[in-house]
Coordinates of all heavy atoms in Angstrom, one line a residue:
M1 N 22.6 11.9 -0.5 CA 22.6 10.5 -0.2 C 23.5 9.8 -1.2 O 23.5 10.1 -2.3 CB 21.2 10.0 -0.3 CG 20.5 9.6 0.9 SD 18.9 8.9 0.6 CE 18.3 8.8 2.2
A2 N 24.2 8.8 -0.7 CA 25.0 7.9 -1.6 C 24.1 7.0 -2.4 O 23.0 6.7 -2.1 CB 25.9 7.1 -0.8
I3 N 24.6 6.6 -3.6 CA 23.8 5.8 -4.5 C 23.4 4.5 -3.8 O 22.3 4.0 -4.0 CB 24.7 5.5 -5.8 CG1 24.8 6.8 -6.6 CG2 24.0 4.4 -6.7 CD1 25.8 6.7 -7.8
A4 N 24.3 3.9 -3.1 CA 24.0 2.6 -2.4 C 22.8 2.8 -1.4 O 21.9 2.0 -1.2 CB 25.2 2.1 -1.6
Q5 N 22.8 4.0 -0.7 CA 21.7 4.3 0.3 C 20.4 4.4 -0.4 O 19.4 4.0 0.0 CB 22.0 5.5 1.0 CG 23.1 5.4 2.1 CD 23.5 6.7 2.7 OE1 23.6 7.7 2.0 NE2 23.5 6.7 4.1
I6 N 20.4 5.1 -1.6 CA 19.2 5.3 -2.4 C 18.7 4.0 -2.9 O 17.5 3.7 -2.8 CB 19.5 6.3 -3.6 CG1 19.7 7.7 -3.0 CG2 18.3 6.3 -4.5 CD1 20.2 8.7 -4.0
K7 N 19.6 3.2 -3.4 CA 19.1 1.9 -3.9 C 18.5 1.0 -2.8 O 17.5 0.3 -2.9 CB 20.3 1.1 -4.6 CG 20.6 1.7 -5.9 CD 21.7 0.9 -6.6 CE 21.9 1.4 -8.0 NZ 22.8 0.6 -8.8
N8 N 19.1 1.1 -1.6 CA 18.7 0.3 -0.4 C 17.3 0.8 0.0 O 16.4 0.1 0.2 CB 19.7 0.4 0.7 CG 19.3 -0.5 1.8 OD1 18.8 -1.6 1.6 ND2 19.6 -0.1 3.0
L9 N 17.1 2.1 0.0 CA 15.9 2.8 0.4 C 14.8 2.4 -0.6 O 13.7 2.0 -0.3 CB 16.0 4.2 0.5 CG 14.7 5.0 0.9 CD1 14.2 4.5 2.2 CD2 15.0 6.5 0.9
Q10 N 15.1 2.4 -1.9 CA 14.2 2.0 -3.0 C 13.7 0.5 -2.8 O 12.6 0.2 -3.0 CB 14.7 2.3 -4.3 CG 14.8 3.8 -4.7 CD 15.5 4.0 -6.0 OE1 16.4 3.3 -6.4 NE2 15.2 5.1 -6.6
R11 N 14.7 -0.3 -2.5 CA 14.4 -1.7 -2.3 C 13.4 -1.9 -1.1 O 12.4 -2.6 -1.2 CB 15.7 -2.6 -2.1 CG 15.4 -4.0 -1.8 CD 16.7 -4.8 -1.4 NE 17.3 -4.2 -0.3 CZ 16.9 -4.4 1.0 NH1 15.9 -5.1 1.3 NH2 17.6 -3.8 2.0
R12 N 13.7 -1.2 0.0 CA 12.8 -1.3 1.2 C 11.4 -0.7 0.9 O 10.5 -1.2 1.4 CB 13.5 -0.6 2.4 CG 14.7 -1.4 2.9 CD 15.2 -0.9 4.2 NE 16.0 0.4 3.9 CZ 16.3 1.3 4.8 NH1 15.9 1.1 6.0 NH2 17.0 2.3 4.5
L13 N 11.4 0.4 0.2 CA 10.1 1.0 -0.2 C 9.3 0.0 -1.1 O 8.1 -0.2 -1.0 CB 10.3 2.3 -0.9 CG 10.7 3.4 -0.1 CD1 11.0 4.7 -0.9 CD2 9.6 3.8 1.0
G14 N 10.0 -0.8 -2.0 CA 9.4 -1.8 -2.8 C 8.8 -2.9 -2.0 O 7.7 -3.4 -2.2
N15 N 9.5 -3.3 -1.0 CA 9.0 -4.3 0.0 C 7.8 -3.8 0.7 O 6.8 -4.6 0.9 CB 10.1 -4.7 1.0 CG 11.2 -5.5 0.3 OD1 11.1 -6.0 -0.8 ND2 12.4 -5.5 1.0
L16 N 7.8 -2.6 1.2 CA 6.6 -2.0 1.9 C 5.4 -1.9 0.9 O 4.3 -2.2 1.3 CB 7.0 -0.6 2.4 CG 7.9 -0.6 3.7 CD1 8.3 0.8 4.0 CD2 7.2 -1.3 4.9
E17 N 5.7 -1.5 -0.3 CA 4.7 -1.4 -1.3 C 4.0 -2.8 -1.6 O 2.8 -2.9 -1.6 CB 5.2 -0.9 -2.6 CG 4.1 -0.7 -3.7 CD 4.6 0.0 -4.9 OE1 5.8 -0.3 -5.2 OE2 3.9 0.6 -5.5
D18 N 4.8 -3.9 -1.7 CA 4.3 -5.2 -1.9 C 3.5 -5.7 -0.7 O 2.4 -6.3 -0.9 CB 5.5 -6.2 -2.2 CG 6.2 -5.9 -3.5 OD1 5.6 -5.2 -4.4 OD2 7.3 -6.4 -3.6
E19 N 4.0 -5.4 0.5 CA 3.2 -5.8 1.7 C 1.9 -5.1 1.7 O 0.9 -5.7 2.1 CB 4.1 -5.5 2.9 CG 3.3 -5.7 4.2 CD 4.0 -5.2 5.5 OE1 4.9 -4.3 5.4 OE2 3.7 -5.7 6.6
A20 N 1.9 -3.8 1.5 CA 0.6 -3.0 1.6 C -0.4 -3.5 0.5 O -1.6 -3.6 0.9 CB 0.9 -1.5 1.3
I21 N 0.1 -3.8 -0.7 CA -0.8 -4.3 -1.7 C -1.4 -5.6 -1.3 O -2.6 -5.9 -1.4 CB -0.1 -4.4 -3.1 CG1 0.2 -3.0 -3.6 CG2 -0.9 -5.2 -4.1 CD1 1.1 -3.0 -4.8
A22 N -0.5 -6.5 -0.8 CA -1.0 -7.8 -0.3 C -2.0 -7.7 0.8 O -3.0 -8.4 0.8 CB 0.2 -8.7 0.1
E23 N -1.8 -6.8 1.7 CA -2.7 -6.6 2.9 C -4.0 -6.0 2.4 O -5.1 -6.4 3.0 CB -2.1 -5.8 3.9 CG -0.9 -6.5 4.7 CD -1.4 -7.8 5.4 OE1 -2.5 -7.8 6.0 OE2 -0.6 -8.8 5.5
V24 N -4.0 -5.1 1.5 CA -5.3 -4.5 1.1 C -6.0 -5.6 0.3 O -7.3 -5.7 0.4 CB -5.1 -3.2 0.2 CG1 -6.4 -2.7 -0.4 CG2 -4.4 -2.1 1.0
N25 N -5.3 -6.4 -0.5 CA -6.0 -7.5 -1.2 C -6.6 -8.5 -0.3 O -7.7 -8.9 -0.5 CB -5.0 -8.3 -2.1 CG -4.6 -7.5 -3.4 OD1 -5.3 -6.6 -3.8 ND2 -3.5 -7.9 -4.0
R26 N -5.9 -8.8 0.8 CA -6.4 -9.7 1.8 C -7.6 -9.1 2.5 O -8.6 -9.8 2.8 CB -5.3 -10.0 2.8 CG -5.7 -11.1 3.8 CD -4.5 -11.6 4.7 NE -3.4 -12.1 3.8 CZ -2.2 -11.7 3.8 NH1 -1.8 -10.6 4.6 NH2 -1.3 -12.2 3.0
A27 N -7.6 -7.8 2.9 CA -8.7 -7.2 3.6 C -10.0 -7.2 2.7 O -11.1 -7.4 3.1 CB -8.3 -5.8 4.0
C28 N -9.7 -6.9 1.4 CA -10.9 -6.7 0.5 C -11.3 -8.1 0.0 O -12.5 -8.3 -0.4 CB -10.5 -5.9 -0.7 SG -10.2 -4.2 -0.4
G29 N -10.4 -9.1 -0.1 CA -10.8 -10.4 -0.6 C -10.7 -10.4 -2.1 O -11.0 -11.5 -2.7
H30 N -10.2 -9.4 -2.8 CA -10.0 -9.3 -4.2 C -9.0 -8.2 -4.6 O -8.6 -7.5 -3.7 CB -11.3 -9.2 -4.9 CG -12.1 -8.0 -4.4 ND1 -11.8 -6.7 -4.7 CD2 -13.2 -7.9 -3.6 CE1 -12.6 -5.9 -4.1 NE2 -13.5 -6.6 -3.4
E31 N -8.8 -8.1 -5.9 CA -7.8 -7.1 -6.3 C -8.5 -6.0 -7.1 O -7.9 -5.1 -7.7 CB -6.7 -7.7 -7.2 CG -5.9 -8.7 -6.5 CD -4.8 -9.3 -7.4 OE1 -4.7 -8.9 -8.6 OE2 -4.1 -10.2 -6.9
L32 N -9.9 -6.0 -7.1 CA -10.6 -5.0 -7.8 C -10.4 -3.6 -7.3 O -10.5 -2.6 -8.1 CB -12.1 -5.3 -7.7 CG -12.5 -6.6 -8.5 CD1 -14.0 -6.8 -8.2 CD2 -12.3 -6.4 -9.9
W33 N -10.0 -3.4 -6.1 CA -9.8 -2.0 -5.5 C -8.7 -1.3 -6.3 O -8.7 -0.1 -6.4 CB -9.3 -2.1 -4.0 CG -8.1 -2.8 -3.8 CD1 -7.8 -4.1 -3.6 CD2 -6.8 -2.1 -3.8 NE1 -6.5 -4.3 -3.5 CE2 -5.8 -3.2 -3.6 CE3 -6.3 -0.9 -3.9 CZ2 -4.5 -2.9 -3.5 CZ3 -5.0 -0.6 -3.8 CH2 -4.0 -1.6 -3.6
Q34 N -7.8 -2.1 -7.0 CA -6.7 -1.4 -7.7 C -7.3 -0.7 -8.9 O -6.7 0.4 -9.3 CB -5.7 -2.4 -8.1 CG -4.9 -3.0 -6.9 CD -3.9 -4.0 -7.3 OE1 -3.2 -3.9 -8.4 NE2 -3.6 -5.0 -6.5
S35 N -8.3 -1.2 -9.5 CA -9.0 -0.5 -10.6 C -10.1 0.5 -10.2 O -10.3 1.5 -10.8 CB -9.5 -1.5 -11.7 OG -10.4 -2.3 -11.1
L36 N -10.7 0.2 -9.1 CA -11.8 1.0 -8.6 C -11.3 2.2 -7.7 O -12.0 3.2 -7.6 CB -12.8 0.2 -7.7 CG -13.5 -0.9 -8.5 CD1 -14.3 -1.8 -7.5 CD2 -14.4 -0.4 -9.6
G37 N -10.2 2.0 -7.1 CA -9.6 3.1 -6.3 C -10.0 3.0 -4.8 O -10.6 2.0 -4.4
F38 N -9.8 4.1 -4.2 CA -10.0 4.2 -2.7 C -11.4 3.9 -2.3 O -11.7 3.4 -1.2 CB -9.5 5.6 -2.2 CG -9.7 5.8 -0.8 CD1 -8.8 5.1 0.1 CD2 -10.6 6.6 -0.3 CE1 -8.9 5.4 1.5 CE2 -10.8 6.9 1.1 CZ -9.9 6.2 2.0
D39 N -12.4 4.4 -3.1 CA -13.8 4.3 -2.8 C -14.2 2.8 -2.6 O -15.1 2.5 -1.8 CB -14.7 4.8 -3.9 CG -14.5 6.3 -4.0 OD1 -14.2 7.0 -3.0 OD2 -14.7 6.8 -5.1
A40 N -13.5 1.8 -3.2 CA -13.8 0.4 -3.0 C -13.6 0.0 -1.5 O -14.3 -0.9 -1.1 CB -13.0 -0.4 -3.9
L41 N -12.7 0.6 -0.9 CA -12.4 0.2 0.5 C -13.6 0.6 1.5 O -13.8 -0.1 2.4 CB -11.1 0.8 1.0 CG -9.9 0.6 0.2 CD1 -8.7 1.3 0.8 CD2 -9.7 -0.8 -0.1
D42 N -14.3 1.7 1.2 CA -15.3 2.1 2.0 C -16.6 1.3 1.9 O -17.5 1.4 2.8 CB -15.7 3.6 1.7 CG -14.6 4.6 2.2 OD1 -13.9 4.2 3.1 OD2 -14.6 5.6 1.6
T43 N -16.6 0.4 0.9 CA -17.8 -0.5 0.8 C -17.7 -1.8 1.6 O -18.6 -2.5 1.7 CB -18.0 -0.9 -0.7 OG1 -16.9 -1.6 -1.2 CG2 -18.2 0.4 -1.5
L44 N -16.5 -2.0 2.2 CA -16.4 -3.2 3.0 C -17.3 -3.1 4.3 O -17.3 -2.0 5.0 CB -14.9 -3.3 3.5 CG -13.9 -3.6 2.4 CD1 -12.5 -3.5 3.0 CD2 -14.1 -4.9 1.7
E45 N -18.0 -4.1 4.5 CA -19.0 -4.1 5.6 C -18.3 -4.3 7.0 O -18.8 -3.7 8.0 CB -20.1 -5.2 5.3 CG -20.9 -4.8 4.2 CD -22.0 -5.9 3.9 OE1 -22.3 -6.7 4.8 OE2 -22.6 -5.8 2.8
D46 N -17.4 -5.2 7.0 CA -16.7 -5.5 8.4 C -15.8 -4.3 8.7 O -14.9 -3.9 8.0 CB -15.9 -6.7 8.2 CG -15.2 -7.2 9.5 OD1 -15.4 -6.5 10.5 OD2 -14.4 -8.1 9.4
P47 N -16.1 -3.7 9.9 CA -15.3 -2.5 10.2 C -13.8 -2.8 10.4 O -12.9 -1.9 10.2 CB -15.9 -2.0 11.5 CG -17.0 -2.9 11.8 CD -17.1 -3.9 10.8
D48 N -13.4 -4.0 10.9 CA -12.1 -4.3 11.1 C -11.3 -4.4 9.8 O -10.2 -3.9 9.7 CB -11.9 -5.6 11.9 CG -12.4 -5.4 13.4 OD1 -12.3 -4.3 13.9 OD2 -12.8 -6.4 14.0
R49 N -12.0 -5.1 8.8 CA -11.4 -5.2 7.5 C -11.3 -3.9 6.8 O -10.2 -3.6 6.2 CB -12.2 -6.2 6.6 CG -12.1 -7.6 7.1 CD -12.9 -8.6 6.3 NE -12.7 -8.5 4.9 CZ -13.5 -8.9 3.9 NH1 -14.7 -9.4 4.3 NH2 -13.2 -8.8 2.7
R50 N -12.3 -3.0 7.0 CA -12.2 -1.7 6.3 C -11.1 -0.9 7.0 O -10.4 -0.2 6.3 CB -13.6 -1.0 6.6 CG -13.7 0.3 5.8 CD -15.0 0.9 5.9 NE -15.6 1.0 7.2 CZ -16.7 0.3 7.6 NH1 -17.3 -0.5 6.7 NH2 -17.2 0.3 8.8
A51 N -11.0 -1.0 8.3 CA -9.9 -0.2 8.9 C -8.5 -0.7 8.5 O -7.6 0.1 8.3 CB -10.0 -0.3 10.5
R52 N -8.4 -2.0 8.4 CA -7.0 -2.6 8.0 C -6.7 -2.2 6.5 O -5.6 -1.8 6.2 CB -7.0 -4.1 8.1 CG -5.7 -4.7 8.0 CD -5.6 -6.2 8.3 NE -6.2 -6.9 7.2 CZ -7.1 -7.9 7.4 NH1 -7.6 -8.1 8.5 NH2 -7.6 -8.5 6.3
A53 N -7.8 -2.2 5.6 CA -7.6 -1.9 4.3 C -7.2 -0.4 4.2 O -6.3 0.0 3.4 CB -8.8 -2.1 3.5
N54 N -7.9 0.5 4.9 CA -7.6 1.9 4.9 C -6.2 2.2 5.4 O -5.4 3.1 4.9 CB -8.6 2.7 5.7 CG -9.9 2.9 4.9 OD1 -9.8 3.3 3.8 ND2 -11.0 2.6 5.6
Y55 N -5.7 1.5 6.5 CA -4.4 1.6 7.0 C -3.3 1.3 6.0 O -2.4 2.1 5.7 CB -4.2 0.8 8.3 CG -2.8 0.8 8.8 CD1 -2.3 1.8 9.5 CD2 -1.9 -0.3 8.4 CE1 -1.0 1.9 9.9 CE2 -0.6 -0.2 8.8 CZ -0.1 0.8 9.6 OH 1.2 0.8 10.0
Y56 N -3.5 0.2 5.3 CA -2.5 -0.2 4.4 C -2.6 0.6 3.1 O -1.6 0.8 2.4 CB -2.6 -1.8 4.1 CG -1.9 -2.5 5.2 CD1 -2.6 -3.2 6.2 CD2 -0.5 -2.6 5.3 CE1 -2.0 -3.9 7.2 CE2 0.1 -3.3 6.4 CZ -0.6 -3.9 7.3 OH 0.0 -4.6 8.3
Y57 N -3.7 1.1 2.7 CA -3.9 1.9 1.6 C -3.1 3.2 1.8 O -2.4 3.8 1.0 CB -5.3 2.2 1.2 CG -5.5 2.9 -0.1 CD1 -5.4 2.3 -1.3 CD2 -5.7 4.3 0.0 CE1 -5.6 3.0 -2.4 CE2 -5.8 5.0 -1.2 CZ -5.8 4.3 -2.4 OH -5.9 5.0 -3.6
G58 N -3.2 3.7 3.1 CA -2.5 4.9 3.4 C -1.0 4.7 3.4 O -0.2 5.5 2.9
Q59 N -0.6 3.5 3.8 CA 0.8 3.2 3.7 C 1.3 3.1 2.3 O 2.4 3.6 1.9 CB 1.1 1.8 4.4 CG 2.5 1.3 4.3 CD 2.8 0.0 5.1 OE1 2.3 -0.2 6.2 NE2 3.4 -0.9 4.4
L60 N 0.5 2.5 1.4 CA 0.8 2.4 0.0 C 1.0 3.7 -0.6 O 1.9 4.0 -1.4 CB -0.3 1.6 -0.7 CG -0.2 1.4 -2.2 CD1 1.1 0.6 -2.5 CD2 -1.4 0.7 -2.7
Q61 N 0.0 4.7 -0.3 CA 0.1 6.0 -0.9 C 1.4 6.7 -0.4 O 2.1 7.4 -1.2 CB -1.1 6.9 -0.5 CG -2.4 6.4 -1.1 CD -2.2 6.3 -2.7 OE1 -2.1 5.3 -3.2 NE2 -2.3 7.5 -3.3
T62 N 1.8 6.6 0.9 CA 3.0 7.2 1.4 C 4.2 6.6 0.7 O 5.1 7.4 0.3 CB 3.1 6.9 2.9 OG1 1.9 7.5 3.6 CG2 4.4 7.5 3.5
V63 N 4.3 5.3 0.5 CA 5.4 4.7 -0.2 C 5.5 5.2 -1.6 O 6.6 5.6 -2.1 CB 5.3 3.2 -0.2 CG1 6.2 2.5 -1.2 CG2 5.5 2.6 1.2
R64 N 4.4 5.3 -2.3 CA 4.4 5.8 -3.7 C 4.8 7.3 -3.8 O 5.6 7.7 -4.7 CB 3.0 5.6 -4.3 CG 2.8 4.1 -4.6 CD 1.5 3.8 -5.3 NE 1.4 2.4 -5.6 CZ 0.3 1.8 -6.0 NH1 -0.8 2.5 -6.1 NH2 0.3 0.5 -6.3
E65 N 4.4 8.1 -2.8 CA 4.9 9.5 -2.8 C 6.4 9.6 -2.6 O 7.0 10.4 -3.2 CB 4.1 10.3 -1.7 CG 2.7 10.5 -2.0 CD 1.9 11.2 -0.9 OE1 2.6 11.8 0.0 OE2 0.7 11.1 -0.9
L66 N 6.9 8.7 -1.7 CA 8.3 8.8 -1.4 C 9.1 8.3 -2.6 O 10.1 8.9 -2.9 CB 8.7 7.9 -0.2 CG 8.3 8.4 1.2 CD1 8.4 7.4 2.2 CD2 9.1 9.7 1.5
R67 N 8.6 7.3 -3.3 CA 9.3 6.8 -4.5 C 9.3 7.8 -5.6 O 10.3 8.0 -6.3 CB 8.6 5.5 -5.0 CG 8.9 4.3 -4.1 CD 8.2 3.1 -4.6 NE 9.3 2.2 -5.0 CZ 9.1 1.1 -5.7 NH1 7.9 0.7 -5.9 NH2 10.1 0.3 -6.0
D68 N 8.2 8.6 -5.7 CA 8.1 9.7 -6.7 C 9.2 10.8 -6.4 O 9.8 11.3 -7.3 CB 6.7 10.3 -6.8 CG 5.7 9.4 -7.4 OD1 6.1 8.4 -8.1 OD2 4.5 9.7 -7.2
V69 N 9.4 11.1 -5.1 CA 10.3 12.1 -4.7 C 11.8 11.6 -5.0 O 12.6 12.4 -5.5 CB 10.2 12.5 -3.2 CG1 11.3 13.3 -2.8 CG2 8.8 13.2 -3.0
L70 N 12.0 10.4 -4.8 CA 13.4 9.8 -4.9 C 13.7 9.6 -6.4 O 14.8 9.6 -6.8 CB 13.5 8.5 -4.2 CG 13.5 8.6 -2.7 CD1 13.5 7.2 -2.1 CD2 14.7 9.3 -2.2
G71 N 12.7 9.4 -7.2 CA 12.8 9.3 -8.7 C 13.1 7.9 -9.1 O 13.5 6.9 -8.8

């Protein structure tokens, strides 16, 4: 991959990471999940919010794995 392509991909992954964090924050109603981890999402009582939080948490993990691979 060319350097420009890698930088563009890293920028887009950053945008996806920001979106995922914002959506999990919105679903949880707070940012405590970042220090408590994945288990905090399972305590959400509303099934729709829990599903949305889990979806975006999965997206966040995927983005972080891709960023680690790219360096």
